[in-house]
């Protein structure tokens, strides 16, 4: 009774210690792994993110990171199992070495079963994780495009697709379950056989010592009962010890997917010898810049499906070719040209979302790849075509790039972007919450908030991709005038199909097929009667085409 009580109390105390320890290790580990993974995802280049569904990153962060918990839990349980196993082996061995040896004879086949099933279970678990990640992506994509689905009446099709994804997920879980069931069955049979052997041999010892050749101190029924009741206390830890591989399999599958990201080197990162670059106005220079997207990108494959113009069909050639441009501090330049000419790609190279595959981009003569990425990006205020708005207040969205900005600075940026008026009409004004993706704002309002956000950063180079595409003529004129007002103070690089937004620029570069084919002021380009002239003729009144400030004529 006393030994039993001590053992029970010891086992329970060890159990509590195990829980405390494993929870501590698990939660701290989860925190660390999630933070590391998030930082890595933040650092990975746009190409990585664009070539994978968002759901993949979500699944890795939310579910796969638990893999480490499972592994750490197994490690902690194994440490505790070693202690329990050693104590129980001594206790049982002192009662009956022969029966203990029989009880432990289960260990070798147990270990073999665990190695064999460990491998299979891991393979199946990886498959399950991948299917689960696809499922998360499918849900994320279909919910994000629910409006499109409803507008085109594709609910049935999308439902069938969704159902297919769920079926695939469940099929892979079934495959895993089958292996788990087979594993449980084999382990159960092994212990069943070992239990029978212990009982059989123990029964024989009792029969021998009590009836056949009675001897004092021989095995009694009571001894056998005590021994068998302790069996569970040695087999439990034994299972944990030999089952390390099988127990860790699920966790290992998740952990492998996490490591896949953690071990990845971002295509754009600080070089070891990267130099700091204090923020101030600098000459921006593109020197024979060429660029090609990596082949596996989704947009590249969309092009390969043949839905693009003739210029876009030849994927073997560069998106940008031999682009040389020099923009001095305070100048404003514009890039115009047909859709797919490479204008947005060129803008993406400035903050190093991608690195050029040929040539160099320089700031004051320093190769952009040689400076710290953070410093380089602090030189640039960006308004992209698909700039996101966050689910916080209007003021917080505007101040995103400069969180310490005063209320007056936020208001001034909004005023310059032509956003002040509509913001003041919103319920709560600057404190009005913006819905996810800016869903409670119009396209033009979102665009103006993005412009305000960029202007507020105070970065010396303002880069705008189609900043006025969603604006009415009145607001387009307003924004254009604000950008004009930046002349001399900030460098403005703008891409626009609306020539009225760029007529005032110091230089306009016309792009075609990744090359700059014309350059000059609006008047010079109109007079040249080339590509720019035909674009201007399509967009503007004939007298404006003649070069009398088309922007103002159109806006008026
Ligand atoms: P638009 O005026 O329509 O915005 P653009 O001149 O800005 O067009 P880009 O967006 O730079 O053109 O695209 C240039 C080419 O590069 C296109 O053929 C496009 O399909 C391709 N492209 C753009 N982004 C990617 C990407 N992430 N992966 C692969 N190809 C891309």
């Amino acid at each position: 009774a006393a030994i039993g009580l001590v053992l029970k109390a010891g086992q329970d105390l060890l159990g509590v210690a195990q829980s405390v320890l494993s929870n501590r290790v698990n939660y701290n580990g989860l925190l660390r792994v999630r933070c590391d993974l998030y930082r890595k995802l933040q650092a990975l280049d746009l190409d990585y993110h664009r070539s994978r569904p968002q759901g993949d990153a979500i699944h890795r962060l939310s579910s796969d990171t638990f893999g480490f918990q499972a592994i750490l839990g197994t490690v902690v349980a194994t440490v505790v199992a070693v202690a329990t196993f050693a104590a129980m082996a001594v206790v049982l061995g002192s009662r009956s070495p022969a029966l203990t040896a029989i009880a432990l004879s289960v260990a070798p086949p147990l270990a073999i079963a665990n190695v064999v099933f460990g491998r299979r279970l891991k393979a199946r678990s990886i498959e399950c994780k991948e299917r689960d990640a696809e499922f998360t992506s499918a849900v994320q994509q279909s919910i994000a495009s629910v409006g499109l689905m409803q507008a085109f009446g594709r609910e049935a099709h999308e439902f069938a697709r969704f159902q297919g994804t769920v079926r695939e997920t469940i099929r892979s879980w079934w495959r895993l379950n089958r292996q788990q069931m087979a594993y449980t069955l084999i382990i159960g049979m092994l212990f069943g056989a070992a239990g029978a052997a212990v009982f059989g041999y123990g029964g024989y010892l009792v029969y021998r010592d009590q009836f056949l050749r009675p001897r004092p101190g021989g095995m009694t029924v009571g001894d056998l009962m005590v021994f068998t009741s302790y069996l569970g206390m040695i087999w439990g830890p034994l299972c944990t010890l030999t089952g390390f591989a099988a127990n860790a399999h699920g966790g290992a599958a998740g952990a492998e997917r996490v490591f896949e990201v953690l071990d990845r080197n971002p295509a754009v990162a600080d070089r070891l010898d990267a130099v700091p670059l204090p923020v101030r106005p600098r000459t921006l220079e593109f020197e024979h810049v060429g660029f090609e997207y990596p082949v596996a990108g989704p947009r590249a494959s969309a092009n390969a499906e043949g839905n693009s113009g003739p210029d876009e069909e030849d994927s073997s050639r560069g998106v940008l070719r031999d682009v040389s441009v020099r923009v001095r501090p305070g100048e404003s330049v514009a890039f115009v040209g047909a859709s797919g000419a490479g204008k947005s790609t060129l803008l993406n190279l400035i903050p190093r979302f991608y690195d050029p595959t040929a040539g160099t981009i320089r700031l004051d003569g320093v190769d952009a790849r040689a400076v710290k990425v953070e410093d380089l990006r602090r030189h640039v205020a960006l308004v992209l075509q698909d700039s996101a708005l966050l689910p916080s207040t209007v003021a917080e969205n505007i101040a995103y790039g400069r969180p310490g900005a005063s209320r007056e600075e936020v208001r001034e940026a909004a005023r310059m972007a032509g956003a002040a008026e509509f913001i003041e009409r919103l319920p709560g004004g600057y404190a009005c919450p913006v819905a996810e993706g800016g869903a409670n704002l119009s396209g033009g309002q979102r665009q103006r908030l993005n412009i305000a956000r960029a202007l507020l950063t105070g970065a010396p180079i303002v880069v705008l991709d189609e900043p006025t595409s969603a604006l009415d003529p009145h607001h387009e004129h307003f924004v254009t005038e604000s950008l004009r007002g930046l002349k001399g103070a900030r460098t403005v690089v703008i891409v626009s199909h609306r020539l009225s937004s760029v007529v005032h620029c110091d230089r306009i570069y016309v792009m075609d097929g990744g090359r700059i084919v014309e350059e000059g002021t609006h008047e010079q380009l109109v007079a040249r009667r080339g590509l720019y002239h035909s674009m201007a003729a399509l967009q503007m009144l004939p007298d404006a085409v003649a070069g009398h400030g088309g922007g103002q004529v159109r806006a008026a």
Side-chain angles (χ1 to χ4, degrees):
I3 290 174
L5 195 65
V6 169
L7 283 176
K8 179 81 181 92
Q11 197 188 26
D12 285 354
L13 281 178
L14 266 181
V16 171
Q18 177 187 352
S19 293
V20 171
L21 185 64
S22 58
N23 284 343
R24 219 161 225 272
V25 173
N26 281 343
Y27 294 135
N28 288 340
L30 184 67
L31 175 79
R32 166 88 185 269
V33 173
R34 281 195 169 162
C35 290
D36 283 358
L37 183 61
Y38 184 75
R39 282 203 82 88
K40 187 41 107 43
L41 285 167
Q42 278 186 320
L44 281 173
D45 44 288
L46 281 192
D47 196 58
Y48 171 86
H49 290 287
R50 285 182 178 165
S51 62
R52 280 167 186 74
Q54 289 172 356
D56 184 76
I58 296 171
H59 193 272
R60 283 180 210 254
L61 262 175
S62 58
S63 174
D64 292 338
T65 42
F66 280 110
F68 291 91
Q69 272 206 350
I71 294 176
L72 291 173
T74 308
V75 170
V76 174
T78 304
V79 171
V80 175
V82 169
T84 319
F85 179 79
M88 290 314 297
V90 170
V91 171
L92 288 189
S94 67
R95 300 200 74 82
S96 167
L99 278 186
T100 307
I102 293 177
L104 295 183
S105 67
V106 77
L110 206 59
I112 294 170
N114 274 298
V115 169
V116 172
F117 277 94
R119 275 197 214 114
R120 291 190 196 166
L121 288 169
K122 186 173 168 207
R124 293 281 160 259
S125 294
I126 288 182
E127 190 191 346
C128 285
K129 296 270 170 211
E130 278 163 4
R131 293 291 92 78
D132 277 353
E134 282 167 18
F135 169 76
T136 311
S137 301
V139 173
Q140 190 267 334
Q141 280 162 5
S142 64
I143 298 297
S145 55
V146 72
L148 181 76
M149 176 176 75
Q150 289 176 353
F152 285 83
R154 300 279 285 173
E155 286 90 341
H157 168 82
E158 290 299 335
F159 178 72
R161 224 157 61 109
F162 174 79
Q163 206 175 29
T165 315
V166 180
R167 283 222 169 93
E168 273 306 309
T169 313
I170 289 173
R171 245 178 242 140
S172 59
W173 280 108
W174 263 121
R175 283 194 282 268
L176 173 64
N177 286 350
R178 274 204 293 273
Q179 292 296 329
Q180 282 170 332
M181 283 186 291
Y183 170 70
T184 312
L185 197 69
I186 286 179
I187 297 294
M189 279 163 58
L190 279 175
F191 280 118
V198 168
F199 247 114
Y201 187 63
Y204 163 74
L205 289 182
V206 173
Y207 176 67
R208 186 194 66 185
D209 294 350
Q210 302 299 324
F211 301 105
L212 215 54
R213 287 189 298 276
R215 65 180 180 94
M219 177 78 81
T220 64
V221 173
D223 287 339
L224 184 59
M225 296 301 289
V226 170
F227 192 93
T228 50
S229 72
Y230 287 171
L231 268 183
M233 287 162 88
I234 196 166
W235 277 348
L238 186 67
C239 244
T240 310
L241 288 179
T242 53
F244 185 83
N247 293 338
H249 69 271
E256 241 176 62
R257 281 172 48 83
V258 172
F259 276 126
E260 211 175 81
V261 179
L262 287 180
D263 289 345
R264 215 182 159 87
N265 289 325
V268 173
D270 279 346
R271 284 194 335 210
L272 284 178
D273 58 351
V275 292
L277 195 73
V279 179
R280 64 176 174 79
R282 293 177 190 277
T283 298
L284 171 69
E285 203 174 349
F286 292 82
E287 209 177 77
H288 305 292
V289 166
F291 182 74
E292 252 172 87
Y293 282 103
V295 189
R299 290 180 68 180
S301 53
N303 284 348
E305 281 164 29
N307 52 3
S308 315
D311 262 350
E312 295 164 277
E313 277 171 16
D314 182 6
S315 57
S316 64
R317 65 170 184 74
V319 171
L320 294 174
R321 289 182 293 166
D322 199 23
V323 174
S324 291
V325 168
R326 190 184 162 90
V327 194
R328 275 177 289 274
E331 279 187 335
S332 60
V333 299
F335 292 89
V336 300
S339 202
K343 307 178 298 292
S344 305
T345 304
L346 189 70
L347 297 192
N348 278 322
L349 301 187
I350 301 174
R352 282 192 75 197
F353 288 156
Y354 300 94
D355 277 334
T357 44
T360 313
I361 295 176
R362 294 184 191 280
L363 278 183
D364 272 357
V366 182
D367 186 341
R369 282 170 293 207
V371 301
K372 289 189 182 297
V373 178
E374 194 187 346
D375 284 356
L376 171 75
R377 290 185 179 162
R378 285 197 301 146
H379 280 80
V380 183
L382 266 184
V383 180
L384 294 177
Q385 276 184 28
D386 53 357
S387 289
L389 287 175
L390 302 164
S392 55
T393 65
V394 167
E396 281 163 355
N397 265 286
I398 295 177
Y400 186 71
R402 213 178 117 200
S406 70
R407 193 185 287 206
E408 284 62 42
E409 287 167 328
V410 170
R411 283 172 191 270
E412 175 57 14
R415 194 199 58 73
M416 284 178 72
E421 210 180 302
F422 91 79
I423 294 173
E424 268 144 31
R425 281 203 308 270
L426 289 173
Y430 285 83
C432 178
V434 175
E436 196 174 310
N440 57 344
L441 299 173
S442 77
Q445 290 171 338
R446 286 199 290 271
Q447 209 161 34
R448 278 174 281 161
L449 285 191
N450 283 322
I451 295 170
R453 178 163 65 193
L455 294 179
L456 183 60
T457 62
I461 303 173
V462 184
V463 175
L464 307 108
D465 195 355
E466 295 288 357
T468 57
S469 59
L471 301 187
D472 59 65
H474 167 71
H475 285 108
E476 181 198 354
H477 177 65
F478 194 95
V479 169
T480 306
E481 284 304 308
S482 291
L483 294 177
R484 265 181 101 162
L486 296 179
K487 209 173 228 172
R490 300 218 219 162
T491 308
V492 176
V493 182
I494 181 168
V495 160
S496 182
H497 285 295
R498 289 195 188 185
L499 299 186
S500 50
S501 298
V502 303
V503 285
H504 59 80
C505 287
D506 296 320
R507 271 186 316 290
I508 300 170
Y509 296 92
V510 184
M511 293 188 69
D512 190 25
R515 285 184 187 281
I516 291 177
V517 291
E518 292 175 13
E519 80 173 81
T521 61
H522 169 72
E523 288 76 14
Q524 288 166 344
L525 289 170
V526 166
R528 213 178 136 148
R529 303 191 81 77
L531 194 55
Y532 183 86
H533 173 263
S534 44
M535 287 163 59
L538 279 175
Q539 287 189 26
M540 300 158 103
L541 299 171
D543 57 343
V545 176
H548 298 293
Q552 287 85 335
V553 173
R554 194 158 176 260

